[in-house]
Amino acid sequence: MTAITHASTVKENHVRHLSHWMNGKLVEGTSGRTADVFNPSTGEVQAKVDLASTDEVNAAVAIAKEAQKVWGAMNPQRRGRILLRFVDLVNENMDELATLLSSEHGKTFPDAKGDIQRGIEVVEFAGGGAAHLLKGEFSTEVGGGIDTHSLRQPLGVVAGITPFNFPAMIPLWKSGPALAAGNAFILKPSERDPGVPLRLAELYTQAGLPDGVFQVINGDKESVDALVNHPDVKAIGFVGSTPIAQSIYTGAAAAGKRAQCFGGAKNHMVVMPDADLDVVTDALLGAAYGSAGERCMAISVAVPVGKETGDALVAKLAEKAALLKVGPSLEAGSDFGPVVTPMAKERIEGLIQQGVDAGATLVLDGRGVQVPGHENGFYVGATLFDHVTTDMPIYSEEVFGPVLAVVRADDFEAALNVVNSNQYGNGVAIFTRDGAAGREFATRVEVGMVGMNIPIPVPIAYYTFGGWKASGFGDLNQHGPDAFRFYTRTKTVTTRWPEGVSEGASFVMPQGS
């Protein structure tokens, strides 16, 4: 795999060593601390990644601060051209990147390509739209001989702290608009699958991005705290669990910087009695079990309306989900692969047991899956619960695994109440043929992203992505025009060119008359 010779070195025991990307090159870590990077399909440790110290983070910020001065002064169109060259390079290296991503995360090869594709769509939007989206406003004669105009200027150094489940997409969602707006960007990716972020850093450099403008610092809580507390880091973008999102948001606010923090999710699909259950079943299979359920937009709760709908839906789901193939991520024919770490597997299986103990009906049990030849992999099969109630842990907690819970509702109002009463508000879907019901649902549901007959309503790059309630902290969302608002600050300039005659001192508040 060419990524091994690019963004890492190989030790004699074939375990790769992953470092940091600073000032346009790989830099060996100096903290003496490392973390294991597994191959989830086999259970083997395939790499050791350096974990940065506070001093290493501080060094990266100092480099970024100097590099940003030149990058931020560059014409937005020129910055955009570099980003578009980067998009071309990612496309040229798509198979290599997807293979690396799949081997570290565990999602299938086609799903890994989708991860990358949805990421570069945002970079493409940011690169192509930078000049337009950074335009200010201009007004003449706001007063006698006075004009006013506004400027959108970069913040300086910004940082992204991104999760394991989308090791390409989320770093690209964060970095593309930030770079297009003229900022320097420091990425702290998940230490569970850092190979792709390091390779993306190389491709940014190859595309012509000046050294130091995009850097990758691998690390853990020490690195996160260092970025949040550093006075020269002006904004923090985060995606992960709700407790950490809330903590980072609070810490960033206390440090006087912008924060855009996205947390957990419990996404529902409401199934109305008039819905085509074959279509619904297929949609649920992909949305609940794709990527082993390790998506913040995965559907983890089905809410059928009415007993007949519930009975029929559960029967169809049980039949089809039992046929899904869980297997090695790079093996053709695998519907979904393993979960990312042995700790993740243990947690998911523990929550399944809690569901059983709480009295939910375990229709399909995914525990104890054995994949021939890969017995040590971190596999959990498709799991289906029926008769789940909202006070059970299997419902209230974000499982982040291939587990679908069915919470039955008597009518539309009851189904809507299930969704609106949940602490999370990331994504939701309704399947119905009734336009009035769909419109009513979209208007009244308290969730940030809504799909009507769409199971995973992730907005396209030129709209914004963001959840409500405990799923999101901050005023602005990811990608779309919101990203440029987040990564810039507005300066308003009021101008009058004197005609050479003093009018004397004025002690009256200026007015626009």
Side-chain angles (χ1 to χ4, degrees):
M1 186 192 306
T2 53
I4 289 176
T5 60
H6 286 295
S8 60
T9 56
V10 184
K11 296 182 177 180
E12 290 184 5
N13 61 357
H14 305 294
V15 174
R16 290 180 293 142
H17 178 208
L18 301 170
S19 305
H20 313 298
W21 186 267
M22 296 171 62
N23 209 19
K25 60 182 181 295
L26 283 172
V27 175
E28 196 86 3
T30 60
S31 73
R33 298 185 302 119
T34 62
D36 291 338
V37 179
F38 292 99
N39 181 332
S41 294
T42 65
E44 298 171 329
V45 174
Q46 61 170 308
K48 296 279 188 178
V49 60
D50 290 327
L51 300 177
S53 65
T54 298
D55 287 343
E56 289 171 292
V57 173
N58 292 342
V61 174
I63 292 166
K65 186 176 181 179
E66 290 303 310
Q68 190 275 330
K69 294 175 183 177
V70 175
W71 178 247
M74 187 182 293
N75 179 289
Q77 281 185 296
R78 291 182 62 195
R79 293 198 299 259
R81 291 186 193 116
I82 290 173
L83 295 183
L84 295 177
R85 282 201 292 273
F86 168 76
V87 170
D88 289 341
L89 288 170
V90 172
N91 280 317
E92 290 171 14
N93 292 274
M94 178 67 79
D95 286 354
E96 172 212 328
L97 288 164
T99 300
L100 177 58
L101 193 159
S102 182
S103 71
E104 289 187 354
H105 174 274
K107 63 179 66 179
T108 64
F109 180 77
D111 194 27
K113 293 180 75 170
D115 181 330
I116 299 163
Q117 177 61 35
R118 289 306 297 261
I120 60 173
E121 286 172 3
V122 171
V123 181
E124 189 173 46
F125 164 77
H132 174 71
L133 289 165
L134 293 172
K135 287 191 305 185
E137 299 175 309
F138 186 90
S139 296
T140 62
E141 289 299 320
V142 299
I146 299 175
D147 303 329
T148 298
H149 71 278
S150 63
L151 309 171
R152 300 200 72 89
Q153 296 185 318
L155 301 178
V157 179
V158 299
I161 301 163
T162 58
F164 77 87
N165 61 320
F166 284 99
M169 186 180 79
I170 303 298
L172 293 171
W173 280 11
K174 298 291 188 188
S175 64
L179 295 171
N183 299 285
F185 189 87
I186 297 175
L187 173 65
K188 205 302 287 182
S190 171
E191 64 275 21
R192 300 178 192 177
D193 44 11
V196 168
L198 286 168
R199 187 70 179 102
L200 293 175
E202 288 185 307
L203 295 178
Y204 267 129
T205 299
Q206 189 177 337
L209 196 69
D211 292 348
V213 174
F214 179 89
Q215 299 180 94
V216 179
I217 295 295
N218 289 301
D220 52 10
K221 186 178 185 299
E222 182 175 347
S223 302
V224 172
D225 290 344
L227 289 169
V228 171
N229 295 324
H230 200 295
D232 288 331
V233 176
K234 302 303 182 183
I236 297 284
F238 172 82
V239 178
S241 70
T242 287
I244 299 176
Q246 191 165 18
S247 174
I248 290 175
Y249 181 76
T250 302
K257 59 190 65 179
R258 295 186 182 185
Q260 180 192 62
C261 299
F262 296 93
K266 199 72 182 182
N267 306 313
H268 301 69
M269 180 190 288
V270 173
V271 182
M272 296 297 289
D274 66 330
D276 184 325
L277 290 188
D278 289 323
V279 172
V280 169
T281 301
D282 288 341
L284 272 171
L285 290 175
Y289 302 122
S291 197
E294 293 178 320
R295 294 171 175 159
C296 64
M297 289 292 283
I299 295 293
S300 54
V301 183
V303 187
V305 175
K307 185 179 186 305
E308 290 185 8
T309 306
D311 291 346
L313 179 62
V314 170
K316 287 178 177 291
L317 282 169
E319 179 184 357
K320 289 193 173 184
L323 301 176
L324 295 177
K325 180 183 177 183
V326 54
S329 59
L330 290 171
E331 184 174 289
S334 294
D335 292 307
F336 60 94
V339 297
V340 67
T341 63
M343 295 74 76
K345 178 182 177 181
E346 181 180 2
R347 179 181 177 275
I348 293 163
E349 292 185 340
L351 282 166
I352 293 172
Q353 185 59 49
Q354 287 186 46
V356 173
D357 294 342
T361 303
L362 184 57
V363 179
L364 198 62
D365 189 350
R367 293 173 294 180
V369 169
Q370 290 289 311
V371 176
H374 297 81
E375 288 79 9
N376 294 322
F378 314 138
Y379 298 99
V380 182
T383 299
L384 177 64
F385 278 102
D386 193 9
H387 302 293
V388 174
T389 57
T390 57
D391 59 342
M392 295 178 179
I394 197 68
Y395 172 80
S396 59
E397 294 193 33
E398 185 179 26
V399 179
F400 229 61
V403 180
L404 178 63
V406 177
V407 176
R408 295 176 178 236
D410 292 334
D411 53 30
F412 174 86
E413 289 295 333
L416 182 64
N417 184 61
V418 168
V419 180
N420 285 348
S421 298
N422 193 273
Q423 65 169 319
Y424 298 115
N426 207 44
V428 70
I430 184 171
F431 272 65
T432 181
R433 301 182 189 188
D434 185 338
R439 189 174 187 275
E440 179 82 358
F441 183 82
T443 301
R444 294 175 56 195
V445 74
E446 297 173 10
V447 174
M449 292 169 285
V450 182
M452 284 192 279
N453 302 309
I454 300 287
I456 303 179
V458 178
I460 200 69
Y462 38 88
Y463 281 79
T464 61
F465 178 107
W468 289 9
K469 298 186 283 189
S471 293
F473 301 87
D475 298 325
L476 294 168
N477 289 337
Q478 297 182 100
H479 64 69
D482 264 17
F484 281 86
R485 298 185 187 103
F486 179 75
Y487 286 119
T488 59
R489 52 187 175 178
T490 302
K491 179 183 291 180
T492 305
V493 182
T494 303
T495 305
R496 180 175 67 176
W497 297 107
E499 298 177 357
V501 179
S502 174
E503 298 177 358
S506 174
F507 301 96
V508 178
M509 182 68 182
Q511 302 170 47
S513 53

